[in-house]
Amino acid sequence: MTTHSRFVVAGGLLAAALVASACNPPGRRLPAADASAATRTYVAPGEKDQFYLFYSGGHSGQVYVAGIPSMRHIATIPVFTPYPGTGYGYDEESKKMLGGFTWGDVHHPGLSQTDGVYDGRWLFVNDNANNRVARVDLRDFKTKQILGPIPNSSGNHGSSFVTENSEYVLVATRFSVPLPKGRYADPSRYETEFNGMVSGLKVDPATGTLSVGWQVLTPPFNWDLGSTGKGPSSGWAFWTSYNSEMASDTLEANATRLDRDYAAVVNWRAAEQAVKDGKATLMAGVPVIDPAKVPGVMYLLPVPKSPHGIDTDPSGRWIAASGKLQPVTSVFDFEKIKNAIDKKQFDKEVRGIPVLNYEAVLEGDVPVGLGPLHTQYDGKGNAYTSLYVESSVAKWKLPPWSKEERADLTKIIVDKIPVHYNIGHLVIGASDTKAPYGQYLVAMNKLSKGRHLSVGPSQPESSQLIDITGQKMSMLYESFTEPEPHFAQILKADRIAPIEVYPKAENHDVNAAWTPEETSVKRNGNKVEVKMMSIRSRFVPDRLDVKVGDEVTIHVTNVEQTTDMIHGLGIVEHDLNVVIDPGETKTVRFTANKPGVFPFYCTNFCAALHQEMQGYLAVKP
Ligand code: RUQ
Ligand code: CUA
């Protein structure tokens, strides 16, 4: 693309943004879906939704759960940000997991898989800001582990992509820095001194525990979204990148110079094998493979300019990548990629990494529309691409294409549906597995454009629910979405059976107190340790006597074994609140640094006498 046409595209983006910002006054109804849509999303009182929608909350640091088709927000899963609603980040266990960070930038949730389908065990999410990946256990919808900051990595955006049998969560860096981390190099020497990284985070098959397995050193491209292979592409993974130009300033212009950027085509099984074969070098304790020295681990694939993601279809053969600044989605054939690798159909090498010949591996450039971002699949041979600039979703047919279609790829565009804001991500249930649900599509906004009652300058975000069971897509519903939605996963509700109480037999906390006799207050120097129990509607003990300067540790057990019997422990003017689920023990620690008497009380409504569930922390000067 010439410089001139580049500005035409940029102007187009701006114009689209301006058009879309027309105002939508309160009380005004815009005809978007007919009234019959209401019955198709109606979940009557007492009935439950069919699917869980897990969507990332961006820089809120959390994961949100909604039901489909009602789109009701049903849970907030705190991950990288403290959340007093569940006491997350206040007790010692979760505080330790947060590691001193108070926020994260959650981007892409990925469900665990067995044999290429969701197994309902874990949800992995990445933190772009602090280079971490968390694991949420779907048995109790709680964050169980936060791994990171990942060594030798900066800007963990190309994440979290789970392999077919959850062998790995594969992640790639958005930013490049001088490695190992902590080394200084002038950013003007970006091209030679900075590097990116692809990491294989190993998943323990029994517990889900993540650990850094190995890494592959990459040129300083900004790796973006990716996906893992299956079927013919089993054992491979893909990421697009922007900034193949390796610019270190004014990226808006300097990282959009070339007509194509590169996608990474990584043979993660080969990487794993290379590490076993001793071909890696240790960097910050992690085996790192240099793909220039270990052939067969990484290839580069030219893709449309400034892409923002690459998605493998359910068969594992077709791989779609879109360039934000080109109105096409390129479909690559993995069979051709394999063939090109075997026959060494390479254009050149970049830093010792072979660049696949574009024409040799391309199946076709699909003219989807303006500003294509992400693609999802319905498992019935169709793909759906979000169009940021056009504010719509394009539905198109995957190959194989007829001769006629091939001659004119506009013929494979099946349908287009406008969404009423600038769309970013979209999700179809199980699109990244070999068996998508193909029933609903959720389109998530980037700019929401006044879709809700005005609440001031920070406009509520929006998501729209679209029925994709017919040939034509149909708009069903629009709901508020917590900021800022980046990608989501949809899981059939009957795939999981979350627990409602922690069985007493599973509580192995040595500080648990299940009876008043097991409770205690022990002093050791200036350390006071309390074993407390909570039960409807009291704390035992409900009086704690300490002295100014004491370090107080309270282990509080909720001895209930009944559904929904949750207690909280809030201490007045101590910035502390823990919430204890039935059968759980949590630990809080603080220094009693103020004299006086401080009431503590149950923060979570539990019974008619919930209000009476209180006690005193008496701090003697
Ligand atoms: S990325 S609009 Cu949100 Cu992490 Cu695609
Ligand atoms: Cu216990 Cu409220």
Side-chain angles (χ1 to χ4, degrees):
M1 204 182 269
T2 62
T3 318
H4 173 74
S5 61
R6 193 173 78 234
F7 284 106
V8 172
V9 171
L13 282 163
L14 185 64
L18 289 174
V19 170
S21 63
C23 75
N24 176 10
R28 177 152 161 240
R29 284 169 173 267
L30 300 173
D34 66 88
S36 77
T39 59
R40 288 189 278 158
T41 60
Y42 184 62
V43 177
E47 283 178 14
K48 286 173 187 167
D49 280 297
Q50 267 173 285
F51 300 93
Y52 290 99
L53 172 72
F54 296 93
Y55 70 94
S56 82
H59 46 281
S60 77
Q62 318 294 43
V63 168
Y64 300 100
V65 188
I68 292 179
S70 77
M71 295 299 281
R72 289 187 288 229
H73 176 187
I74 55 172
T76 297
I77 305 176
V79 182
F80 297 112
T81 303
Y83 183 60
T86 61
Y88 185 78
Y90 296 87
D91 61 282
E92 289 303 300
E93 297 85 356
S94 56
K95 246 163 70 182
K96 195 171 152 212
M97 220 163 32
L98 287 167
F101 292 101
T102 62
W103 77 289
D105 188 4
V106 177
H107 275 245
H108 318 115
L111 286 164
S112 59
Q113 301 189 15
T114 300
D115 201 19
V117 293
Y118 295 152
D119 59 17
R121 301 175 80 191
W122 307 299
L123 180 80
F124 301 99
V125 287
N126 61 316
D127 167 15
N128 179 49
N130 303 310
N131 309 319
R132 297 175 294 171
V133 175
R135 174 175 46 91
V136 172
D137 196 330
L138 295 182
R139 184 174 179 249
D140 56 3
F141 281 52
K142 289 196 183 149
T143 304
K144 292 294 163 67
Q145 184 192 3
I146 295 178
L147 175 80
I150 300 168
N152 312 320
S153 302
S154 191
N156 179 33
H157 185 244
S159 175
S160 320
F161 307 112
V162 184
T163 58
E164 278 167 292
N165 283 296
S166 303
E167 295 95 337
Y168 289 97
V169 174
L170 298 174
V171 311
T173 50
R174 171 177 172 189
F175 305 119
S176 288
V177 291
L179 295 176
K181 271 196 263 188
R183 182 170 75 84
Y184 174 83
D186 192 298
S188 66
R189 295 170 64 204
Y190 184 82
E191 209 175 317
T192 51
E193 293 287 334
F194 287 50
N195 276 102
M197 201 66 93
V198 164
S199 307
L201 308 180
K202 189 130 198 52
V203 182
D204 182 291
T207 62
T209 304
L210 292 162
S211 57
V212 184
W214 40 258
Q215 295 182 315
V216 178
L217 189 76
T218 77
F221 304 158
N222 296 47
W223 300 112
D224 214 0
L225 269 82
S227 64
T228 55
K230 57 177 86 68
S233 56
S234 177
W236 294 76
F238 315 93
W239 286 268
T240 50
S241 72
Y242 57 96
N243 196 19
S244 303
E245 294 83 351
M246 298 185 270
S248 62
D249 64 8
T250 331
L251 261 61
E252 183 190 28
N254 292 337
T256 52
R257 282 197 321 263
L258 298 177
D259 278 349
R260 298 229 167 92
D261 279 295
Y262 292 119
V265 176
V266 174
N267 185 337
W268 62 261
R269 280 198 209 283
E272 189 182 47
Q273 190 56 45
V275 171
K276 282 187 194 144
D277 296 345
K279 292 180 184 160
T281 347
L282 282 189
M283 190 193 288
V286 182
V288 177
I289 295 153
D290 181 350
K293 293 184 190 137
V294 187
V297 168
M298 184 174 178
Y299 301 89
L300 296 172
L301 168 67
V303 289
K305 194 186 183 73
S306 305
H308 184 43
I310 185 162
D311 296 282
T312 314
D313 91 310
S315 77
R317 177 164 177 191
W318 311 113
I319 294 150
S322 304
K324 287 175 293 191
L325 301 184
Q326 283 176 4
V328 297
T329 293
S330 296
V331 182
F332 299 97
D333 179 353
F334 193 77
E335 301 287 1
K336 290 184 186 171
I337 292 179
K338 259 202 319 214
N339 203 28
I341 290 172
D342 290 346
K343 293 196 179 131
K344 298 203 173 4
Q345 287 174 313
F346 306 136
D347 282 345
K348 56 176 175 182
E349 284 189 351
V350 171
R351 301 225 172 157
I353 306 168
V355 177
L356 292 158
N357 179 273
Y358 184 70
E359 278 71 32
V361 298
L362 181 76
E363 188 64 13
D365 279 329
V366 184
V368 286
L370 294 180
L373 295 177
H374 304 291
T375 298
Q376 294 278 286
Y377 305 96
D378 63 6
K380 296 175 232 165
N382 301 302
Y384 301 73
T385 302
S386 55
L387 302 171
Y388 171 83
V389 177
E390 269 185 42
S391 293
S392 61
V393 175
K395 173 180 177 182
W396 50 278
K397 223 180 95 192
L398 279 169
W401 297 318
S402 69
K403 221 176 148 195
E404 243 188 4
E405 289 168 337
R406 198 174 280 284
D408 174 11
L409 283 178
T410 57
K411 293 209 169 88
I412 65 155
I413 310 292
V414 182
D415 187 26
K416 226 177 227 192
I417 189 169
V419 293
H420 302 83
Y421 40 74
N422 291 98
I423 183 174
H425 294 268
L426 76 178
V427 65
I428 291 175
S431 167
D432 53 353
T433 73
K434 62 183 188 189
Y437 305 153
Q439 223 170 320
Y440 295 108
L441 181 155
V442 176
M444 290 167 269
N445 80 245
K446 284 282 110 178
L447 302 167
S448 69
K449 305 296 178 208
R451 295 299 295 172
H452 302 280
L453 287 176
S454 176
V455 294
S458 184
Q459 301 209 349
E461 310 284 356
S462 239
S463 285
Q464 292 186 335
L465 182 72
I466 296 167
D467 182 334
I468 54 163
T469 51
Q471 178 76 353
K472 283 194 127 351
M473 295 176 269
S474 71
M475 181 62 67
L476 292 179
Y477 194 71
E478 174 158 1
S479 74
F480 162 70
T481 303
E482 294 280 353
E484 181 195 330
H486 299 271
F487 201 44
Q489 299 266 272
I490 295 173
L491 180 65
K492 268 199 179 126
D494 60 13
R495 288 297 288 143
I496 53 174
I499 56 162
E500 298 191 346
V501 300
Y502 293 100
K504 182 178 176 188
E506 275 183 29
N507 184 324
H508 301 301
D509 195 315
V510 292
N511 296 307
W514 292 90
T515 59
E517 294 69 43
E518 284 171 10
T519 65
S520 61
V521 179
K522 282 193 183 123
R523 173 177 287 281
N524 183 358
N526 68 342
K527 289 195 162 88
V528 178
E529 189 157 14
V530 182
K531 290 185 188 177
M532 180 185 274
M533 65 174 268
S534 57
I535 188 167
R536 271 161 289 169
S537 303
R538 64 193 167 116
F539 293 106
V540 184
D542 61 0
R543 175 171 172 174
L544 300 176
D545 291 283
V546 301
K547 290 191 292 242
V548 168
D550 283 346
E551 184 197 275
V552 183
T553 303
I554 305 174
H555 309 282
V556 53
T557 300
N558 177 348
V559 304
E560 311 277 358
Q561 290 285 282
T562 314
T563 294
D564 209 18
M565 267 319 142
I566 294 164
H567 300 295
L569 171 64
I571 307 176
V572 168
E573 284 180 23
H574 277 69
D575 196 33
L576 274 176
N577 177 46
V578 291
V579 175
I580 323 104
D581 288 349
E584 213 177 19
T585 300
K586 279 188 175 169
T587 298
V588 272
R589 184 167 296 131
F590 59 95
T591 304
N593 46 21
K594 294 182 280 200
V597 176
F598 303 93
F600 59 83
Y601 69 103
C602 176
T603 50
N604 201 105
F605 184 89
C606 50
L609 297 176
H610 152 79
Q611 206 72 357
E612 282 75 357
M613 191 164 171
Q614 64 165 63
Y616 294 103
L617 169 71
V619 187
K620 269 196 195 135

